Short mmCIF file of all heavy atoms in Angstrom, two decimals:
data_model
loop_
_atom_site.label_atom_id
_atom_site.label_comp_id
_atom_site.label_asym_id
_atom_site.label_seq_id
_atom_site.Cartn_x
_atom_site.Cartn_y
_atom_site.Cartn_z
N SER A 60 1.90 56.36 -74.52
CA SER A 60 2.98 55.78 -75.37
C SER A 60 2.65 54.40 -75.80
O SER A 60 1.68 53.84 -75.25
CB SER A 60 4.38 55.87 -74.65
OG SER A 60 4.27 54.96 -73.55
N LEU A 61 3.48 53.90 -76.74
CA LEU A 61 3.22 52.48 -77.18
C LEU A 61 3.36 51.46 -76.07
O LEU A 61 2.53 50.58 -75.98
CB LEU A 61 4.23 52.17 -78.31
CG LEU A 61 4.11 50.75 -78.90
CD1 LEU A 61 2.84 50.61 -79.67
CD2 LEU A 61 5.27 50.47 -79.87
N SER A 62 4.30 51.62 -75.19
CA SER A 62 4.56 50.68 -74.11
C SER A 62 3.36 50.75 -73.15
O SER A 62 2.95 49.72 -72.60
CB SER A 62 5.90 50.97 -73.42
OG SER A 62 5.92 52.26 -72.87
N GLU A 63 2.90 51.94 -72.77
CA GLU A 63 1.81 52.16 -71.86
C GLU A 63 0.51 51.48 -72.45
O GLU A 63 -0.28 50.87 -71.71
CB GLU A 63 1.59 53.54 -71.51
CG GLU A 63 2.79 54.07 -70.70
CD GLU A 63 2.65 55.66 -70.58
OE1 GLU A 63 2.04 56.27 -71.43
OE2 GLU A 63 3.32 56.20 -69.60
N LEU A 64 0.24 51.62 -73.76
CA LEU A 64 -0.88 51.03 -74.36
C LEU A 64 -0.79 49.51 -74.31
O LEU A 64 -1.74 48.88 -73.98
CB LEU A 64 -1.02 51.49 -75.81
CG LEU A 64 -1.78 52.82 -76.17
CD1 LEU A 64 -1.58 53.23 -77.56
CD2 LEU A 64 -3.26 52.67 -75.80
N ALA A 65 0.32 48.99 -74.60
CA ALA A 65 0.58 47.52 -74.60
C ALA A 65 0.44 46.93 -73.19
O ALA A 65 0.23 45.78 -73.04
CB ALA A 65 1.90 47.17 -75.20
N ALA A 66 0.58 47.73 -72.12
CA ALA A 66 0.39 47.31 -70.73
C ALA A 66 -1.04 47.18 -70.35
O ALA A 66 -1.38 46.52 -69.33
CB ALA A 66 1.19 48.27 -69.84
N ILE A 67 -1.97 47.72 -71.08
CA ILE A 67 -3.38 47.64 -70.73
C ILE A 67 -3.86 46.20 -71.10
O ILE A 67 -3.50 45.65 -72.17
CB ILE A 67 -4.23 48.64 -71.56
CG1 ILE A 67 -3.81 50.05 -71.15
CG2 ILE A 67 -5.64 48.46 -71.37
CD1 ILE A 67 -4.50 51.17 -71.96
N PRO A 68 -4.59 45.57 -70.20
CA PRO A 68 -5.03 44.13 -70.46
C PRO A 68 -5.76 43.99 -71.80
O PRO A 68 -6.69 44.77 -72.09
CB PRO A 68 -5.90 43.87 -69.24
CG PRO A 68 -5.52 44.91 -68.14
CD PRO A 68 -5.06 46.10 -68.89
N GLY A 69 -5.29 43.05 -72.50
CA GLY A 69 -5.95 42.67 -73.81
C GLY A 69 -5.45 43.45 -75.01
O GLY A 69 -5.85 43.19 -76.14
N VAL A 70 -4.53 44.45 -74.76
CA VAL A 70 -4.05 45.25 -75.85
C VAL A 70 -2.72 44.61 -76.30
O VAL A 70 -1.70 44.60 -75.56
CB VAL A 70 -3.81 46.73 -75.46
CG1 VAL A 70 -3.22 47.53 -76.64
CG2 VAL A 70 -5.17 47.32 -75.03
N SER A 71 -2.59 44.23 -77.61
CA SER A 71 -1.41 43.76 -78.16
C SER A 71 -0.65 44.89 -78.76
O SER A 71 -1.11 45.97 -78.92
CB SER A 71 -1.70 42.64 -79.24
OG SER A 71 -2.41 43.28 -80.35
N LYS A 72 0.61 44.60 -79.19
CA LYS A 72 1.41 45.58 -79.90
C LYS A 72 0.79 46.10 -81.17
O LYS A 72 0.89 47.25 -81.55
CB LYS A 72 2.85 45.06 -80.06
CG LYS A 72 3.72 44.98 -78.85
CD LYS A 72 5.15 44.63 -79.19
CE LYS A 72 5.99 44.67 -77.91
NZ LYS A 72 7.40 44.30 -78.20
N SER A 73 0.19 45.14 -81.91
CA SER A 73 -0.47 45.53 -83.18
C SER A 73 -1.65 46.41 -82.85
O SER A 73 -1.91 47.46 -83.54
CB SER A 73 -0.95 44.29 -83.91
OG SER A 73 -1.85 43.59 -83.17
N HIS A 74 -2.44 46.22 -81.81
CA HIS A 74 -3.53 47.12 -81.44
C HIS A 74 -2.97 48.45 -81.04
O HIS A 74 -3.53 49.48 -81.48
CB HIS A 74 -4.31 46.49 -80.26
CG HIS A 74 -5.02 45.23 -80.53
ND1 HIS A 74 -5.34 44.26 -79.62
CD2 HIS A 74 -5.59 44.82 -81.74
CE1 HIS A 74 -5.97 43.36 -80.13
NE2 HIS A 74 -6.17 43.56 -81.46
N ALA A 75 -1.91 48.44 -80.24
CA ALA A 75 -1.34 49.76 -79.85
C ALA A 75 -0.77 50.52 -81.02
O ALA A 75 -0.99 51.78 -81.10
CB ALA A 75 -0.20 49.50 -78.79
N ALA A 76 -0.20 49.84 -81.92
CA ALA A 76 0.40 50.54 -83.12
C ALA A 76 -0.78 51.11 -83.96
O ALA A 76 -0.66 52.22 -84.48
CB ALA A 76 1.19 49.58 -83.92
N ALA A 77 -1.91 50.41 -84.06
CA ALA A 77 -3.02 50.90 -84.84
C ALA A 77 -3.58 52.17 -84.16
O ALA A 77 -3.99 53.15 -84.86
CB ALA A 77 -4.13 49.83 -84.97
N ILE A 78 -3.65 52.20 -82.91
CA ILE A 78 -4.19 53.36 -82.13
C ILE A 78 -3.27 54.55 -82.37
O ILE A 78 -3.71 55.68 -82.67
CB ILE A 78 -4.32 53.10 -80.63
CG1 ILE A 78 -5.36 52.01 -80.41
CG2 ILE A 78 -4.72 54.37 -79.86
CD1 ILE A 78 -5.50 51.47 -79.07
N LEU A 79 -1.92 54.40 -82.27
CA LEU A 79 -0.97 55.54 -82.46
C LEU A 79 -1.03 56.00 -83.88
O LEU A 79 -0.86 57.18 -84.18
CB LEU A 79 0.43 55.08 -81.99
CG LEU A 79 0.51 54.82 -80.54
CD1 LEU A 79 2.05 54.48 -80.24
CD2 LEU A 79 0.07 55.88 -79.66
N ALA A 80 -1.23 55.04 -84.82
CA ALA A 80 -1.23 55.44 -86.31
C ALA A 80 -2.54 56.34 -86.44
O ALA A 80 -2.50 57.31 -87.22
CB ALA A 80 -1.34 54.21 -87.18
N LYS A 81 -3.65 55.97 -85.84
CA LYS A 81 -4.85 56.73 -86.02
C LYS A 81 -4.67 58.17 -85.34
O LYS A 81 -5.12 59.16 -85.90
CB LYS A 81 -5.94 56.04 -85.27
CG LYS A 81 -7.40 56.71 -85.33
CD LYS A 81 -7.93 56.71 -86.81
CE LYS A 81 -9.33 57.27 -86.84
NZ LYS A 81 -9.88 57.16 -88.18
N ARG A 82 -3.95 58.17 -84.28
CA ARG A 82 -3.68 59.51 -83.56
C ARG A 82 -2.82 60.39 -84.49
O ARG A 82 -3.03 61.56 -84.60
CB ARG A 82 -3.03 59.28 -82.25
CG ARG A 82 -2.79 60.56 -81.43
CD ARG A 82 -2.21 60.29 -80.08
NE ARG A 82 -0.88 59.83 -80.09
CZ ARG A 82 -0.19 59.37 -79.07
NH1 ARG A 82 -0.80 59.33 -77.92
NH2 ARG A 82 1.02 58.90 -79.20
N ASP A 83 -1.80 59.78 -85.14
CA ASP A 83 -0.91 60.54 -85.99
C ASP A 83 -1.72 61.08 -87.20
O ASP A 83 -1.53 62.19 -87.67
CB ASP A 83 0.27 59.71 -86.53
CG ASP A 83 1.22 59.32 -85.42
OD1 ASP A 83 1.13 60.07 -84.34
OD2 ASP A 83 1.95 58.41 -85.47
N ALA A 84 -2.69 60.22 -87.67
CA ALA A 84 -3.51 60.73 -88.87
C ALA A 84 -4.43 61.82 -88.47
O ALA A 84 -4.61 62.82 -89.30
CB ALA A 84 -4.30 59.52 -89.41
N LEU A 85 -4.99 61.76 -87.24
CA LEU A 85 -5.90 62.82 -86.83
C LEU A 85 -5.21 64.07 -86.31
O LEU A 85 -5.78 65.18 -86.22
CB LEU A 85 -6.82 62.31 -85.74
CG LEU A 85 -7.79 61.11 -86.18
CD1 LEU A 85 -8.57 60.62 -84.95
CD2 LEU A 85 -8.80 61.66 -87.26
N GLY A 86 -3.92 63.85 -85.84
CA GLY A 86 -3.28 64.99 -85.15
C GLY A 86 -3.49 64.87 -83.65
O GLY A 86 -2.54 64.86 -82.95
N ARG A 87 -4.67 64.69 -83.20
CA ARG A 87 -5.07 64.31 -81.76
C ARG A 87 -6.46 63.86 -81.82
O ARG A 87 -7.30 64.18 -82.69
CB ARG A 87 -4.87 65.56 -80.85
CG ARG A 87 -5.75 66.73 -81.22
CD ARG A 87 -5.59 67.85 -80.16
NE ARG A 87 -6.29 67.59 -78.91
CZ ARG A 87 -5.72 67.35 -77.80
NH1 ARG A 87 -4.43 67.39 -77.65
NH2 ARG A 87 -6.38 67.12 -76.69
N PHE A 88 -6.76 63.09 -80.81
CA PHE A 88 -8.16 62.63 -80.63
C PHE A 88 -8.95 63.63 -79.91
O PHE A 88 -8.46 64.25 -78.98
CB PHE A 88 -8.14 61.30 -79.70
CG PHE A 88 -7.68 60.10 -80.43
CD1 PHE A 88 -6.36 59.58 -80.19
CD2 PHE A 88 -8.47 59.34 -81.33
CE1 PHE A 88 -5.90 58.46 -80.81
CE2 PHE A 88 -8.05 58.22 -81.93
CZ PHE A 88 -6.71 57.73 -81.70
N SER A 89 -10.20 63.81 -80.30
CA SER A 89 -11.09 64.73 -79.65
C SER A 89 -12.00 63.96 -78.72
O SER A 89 -12.61 64.61 -77.81
CB SER A 89 -11.93 65.51 -80.68
OG SER A 89 -12.69 64.64 -81.45
N ASP A 90 -12.11 62.65 -78.81
CA ASP A 90 -12.98 61.91 -77.91
C ASP A 90 -12.49 60.45 -78.01
O ASP A 90 -11.98 59.99 -79.06
CB ASP A 90 -14.48 61.99 -78.28
CG ASP A 90 -15.38 61.47 -77.24
OD1 ASP A 90 -15.52 60.19 -77.23
OD2 ASP A 90 -15.82 62.25 -76.40
N VAL A 91 -12.64 59.72 -76.88
CA VAL A 91 -12.28 58.31 -76.81
C VAL A 91 -13.09 57.42 -77.82
O VAL A 91 -12.72 56.45 -78.28
CB VAL A 91 -12.38 57.72 -75.40
CG1 VAL A 91 -11.95 56.29 -75.30
CG2 VAL A 91 -11.48 58.57 -74.42
N ALA A 92 -14.32 57.94 -78.07
CA ALA A 92 -15.21 57.25 -78.94
C ALA A 92 -14.65 57.08 -80.40
O ALA A 92 -15.08 56.27 -81.09
CB ALA A 92 -16.59 57.90 -79.00
N GLU A 93 -13.65 57.92 -80.75
CA GLU A 93 -13.01 57.80 -82.08
C GLU A 93 -12.28 56.50 -82.22
O GLU A 93 -11.94 56.12 -83.33
CB GLU A 93 -12.11 58.99 -82.28
CG GLU A 93 -12.91 60.32 -82.44
CD GLU A 93 -11.94 61.47 -82.67
OE1 GLU A 93 -10.75 61.33 -82.47
OE2 GLU A 93 -12.45 62.54 -83.06
#
Side-chain angles (χ1 to χ4, degrees):
S60 64
L61 179 67
S62 59
E63 290 169 337
L64 272 172
I67 296 177
V70 178
S71 65
K72 286 188 175 180
S73 61
H74 292 151
I78 293 172
L79 295 186
K81 183 68 173 181
R82 184 176 69 188
D83 292 340
L85 295 175
R87 62 176 283 114
F88 287 101
S89 59
D90 193 276
V91 180
E93 292 179 347

